[in-house]
């Protein structure tokens, strides 16, 4: 890794930290705070929102500066149009998040902004040309299949991080690990992609600079736009790095499976309209109700994300498939443990 890359990392870290401080003051001044109250809000004081705005502004600015002073980011398969699509899509998420944080949009309206952001990125040419076949060789994708895959991939990751953002620093911590794993994989001899590696390193610096303010006890929240933007960023990194979806999926596997299970539970309880209703069925809330502290839960998620993320660096494609199966088995064990606990009458009603 070139030494100057560390300069970009520390610049990203420092400016993200400073920008978050400014955004916190702006949010307080304009009343953009998250008030305690309902069952999903476990904080006991007003917390400024819009933290994700700092993440977006700094990352967008650094990308534009890097594109101006260096050709590293465009030395591979990524072109300027891809970056513009990413920044424009992120801007849509920021606008939608601000409106949602201000006026508390219904889920049916709020989902429009992630949909538009994903379509913009696809419209600017971000695609997956091929996927590695875990049983050998590669699978070439037709453009229309790539567009569908990228769209649902981005929507899935964005809503995973949106729903994961229920504890201080949880979504940003997990996405930071995802960025780190993509960076390390892009630096490996087998996949060497300096453009992706530098971008992921800058993303990691931005996330960690913001995380200082988001770690327990949080002094700011990502907000609706920020919670989807960190997922949008990780999802985009996975796509432009040559379809490293398995790598990102191994990192966020537990949250993804948790979201899938909660959606199933909600649908069975009240049909499709119930799917979008907020509740405390997610695993991180279940662990909190069992007495785990917020830092302990975040560190648990980080440990699992790191453990499975490292497998992406060490395993072949078919072995990653086994690792994904192991993640599924781990989630089944967790669900069974909560269900048994509920049946025995110990602990809170987990919804499992």
């Amino acid at each position: 890794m070139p030494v100057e890359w560390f300069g970009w990392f520390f610049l990203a870290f420092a400016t993200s930290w400073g920008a978050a401080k400014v955004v916190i003051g702006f949010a307080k001044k304009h009343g953009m705070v998250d008030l305690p109250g309902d069952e999903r809000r476990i904080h006991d004081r007003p917390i400024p929102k819009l933290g994700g705005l700092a993440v977006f502004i700094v990352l967008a600015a650094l990308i534009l500066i890097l594109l101006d002073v260096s050709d590293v980011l465009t030395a591979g398969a990524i072109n300027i149009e891809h970056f513009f699509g990413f920044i424009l899509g992120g801007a849509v998420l920021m606008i939608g998040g601000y409106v949602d944080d201000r006026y508390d949009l219904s889920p049916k309206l709020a989902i429009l902004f992630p949909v538009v952001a994903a379509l913009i990125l696809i419209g600017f040419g971000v695609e997956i040309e091929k996927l590695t076949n875990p049983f050998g060789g590669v699978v070439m994708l037709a453009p229309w299949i790539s567009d569908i895959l990228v769209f649902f991939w981005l929507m899935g990751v964005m809503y995973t991080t949106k729903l994961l953002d229920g504890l201080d620093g949880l979504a940003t911590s997990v996405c930071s690990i995802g960025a780190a794993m993509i960076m390390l994989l892009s630096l490996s001899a087998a996949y060497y992609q300096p453009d992706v590696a530098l971008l992921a390193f800058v993303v990691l610096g931005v996330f960690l600079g913001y995380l200082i303010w988001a770690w327990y006890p949080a002094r700011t929240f990502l907000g609706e736009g920020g919670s989807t933007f960190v997922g949008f960023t990780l999802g985009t990194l996975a796509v432009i790095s040559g379809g490293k979806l398995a790598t990102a999926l191994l990192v966020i596997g537990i949250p993804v499976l948790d979201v899938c299970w909660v959606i199933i539970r909600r649908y069975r309880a009240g049909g499709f309209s119930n799917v979008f209703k907020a509740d405390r069925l997610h695993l991180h809330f279940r662990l909190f109700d069992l007495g785990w502290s917020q830092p302990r839960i975040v560190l648990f998620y980080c440990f699992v994300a790191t453990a499975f993320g490292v497998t992406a660096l060490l395993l072949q494609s078919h072995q990653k498939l086994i690792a994904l199966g192991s993640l599924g088995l781990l989630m089944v064990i967790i669900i069974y443990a909560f269900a048994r606990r509920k049946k025995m009458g110990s602990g809170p009603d987990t919804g499992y």
Side-chain angles (χ1 to χ4, degrees):
M1 181 186 297
V3 175
E4 59 267 23
W5 286 15
F6 287 93
W8 288 107
F9 170 81
F10 287 115
L11 177 63
F13 180 91
T15 51
S16 179
W17 179 89
K21 185 175 182 180
V22 173
V23 168
I24 289 172
F26 175 86
K28 287 181 178 179
K29 181 179 180 180
H30 294 276
M32 299 293 290
V33 296
D34 197 309
L35 300 173
D38 64 47
E39 63 175 0
R40 296 185 71 254
R41 289 171 166 80
I42 59 178
H43 52 285
D44 57 4
R45 68 192 192 286
I47 305 293
K49 297 185 282 190
L50 302 181
L53 183 61
V55 175
F56 167 73
I57 291 174
V58 172
L59 183 54
L62 288 175
I63 288 174
L64 293 175
I65 293 172
L66 271 167
L67 289 173
D68 183 55
V69 304
S70 170
D71 60 356
V72 176
L73 291 184
T74 54
I78 316 173
N79 59 48
I80 292 179
E81 287 75 18
H82 296 157
F83 288 109
F84 286 168
F86 170 75
I87 292 173
L88 184 57
V92 169
L93 293 176
M94 290 301 105
I95 294 171
Y98 181 86
V99 174
D100 196 358
D101 285 332
R102 172 67 74 179
Y103 300 107
D104 194 21
L105 299 178
S106 69
K108 293 179 180 179
L109 288 177
I111 197 174
L112 293 178
F113 295 96
V115 166
V116 172
L119 291 176
I120 288 174
L121 194 67
I122 294 169
F124 274 78
V126 174
E127 61 180 357
I128 302 174
E129 294 182 352
K130 59 185 178 181
L131 290 175
T132 301
N133 187 337
F135 303 104
V138 296
V139 178
M140 303 302 297
L141 301 179
W144 67 272
I145 294 178
S146 169
D147 291 346
I148 293 174
L149 178 60
V150 171
F151 176 80
F152 282 103
W153 164 255
L154 290 173
M155 292 298 295
V157 178
M158 281 190 282
Y159 266 81
T160 294
T161 55
K162 174 184 172 69
L163 298 175
L164 187 64
D165 191 38
L167 300 182
D168 295 356
L170 180 55
T172 309
S173 295
V174 172
C175 287
S176 295
I177 294 171
M181 294 303 163
I182 290 176
M183 179 194 73
L184 293 174
L185 194 62
S186 298
L187 288 173
S188 66
Y191 297 99
Y192 190 62
Q193 298 168 293
D195 50 343
V196 176
L198 176 56
L199 178 60
F201 203 24
V202 170
V203 168
L204 179 61
V206 173
F207 282 178
L208 292 180
Y210 165 78
L211 188 57
I212 292 179
W213 298 100
W215 190 261
Y216 180 83
R219 284 155 287 181
T220 182
F221 290 155
L222 283 169
E224 293 298 324
S227 64
T228 51
F229 179 68
V230 294
F232 183 68
T233 303
L234 180 60
T236 302
L237 276 175
V239 172
I240 64 176
S241 58
K244 294 183 177 64
L245 307 191
T247 299
L249 194 55
L250 281 169
V251 171
I252 61 173
I254 287 295
V256 168
L257 293 171
D258 180 47
V259 168
C260 292
W261 179 244
V262 169
I263 288 174
I264 293 172
R265 290 286 304 181
R266 289 176 181 175
Y267 180 80
R268 291 175 59 187
F272 183 77
S273 61
N274 194 54
V275 168
F276 296 99
K277 292 183 178 180
D279 53 39
R280 289 175 61 95
L281 294 179
H282 291 286
L283 176 60
H284 50 272
F285 285 130
R286 305 282 66 81
L287 294 174
F288 184 79
D289 289 340
L290 289 178
W292 287 34
S293 67
Q294 291 195 57
R296 182 184 178 187
I297 297 170
V298 175
L299 291 174
F300 166 73
Y301 270 79
C302 289
F303 172 78
V304 174
T306 301
F308 281 94
V310 168
T311 64
L313 307 178
L314 304 176
L315 301 181
Q316 300 299 317
S317 295
H318 68 281
Q319 295 170 324
K320 291 179 185 178
L321 193 61
I322 296 174
L324 287 170
S326 300
L327 262 178
L329 179 60
L330 176 59
M331 194 63 196
V332 169
I333 293 173
I334 292 173
I335 292 172
Y336 174 78
F338 276 114
R340 183 174 176 81
R341 184 180 181 88
K342 177 183 177 182
K343 184 177 181 179
M344 295 176 63
S346 59
D349 183 356
T350 64
Y352 284 92

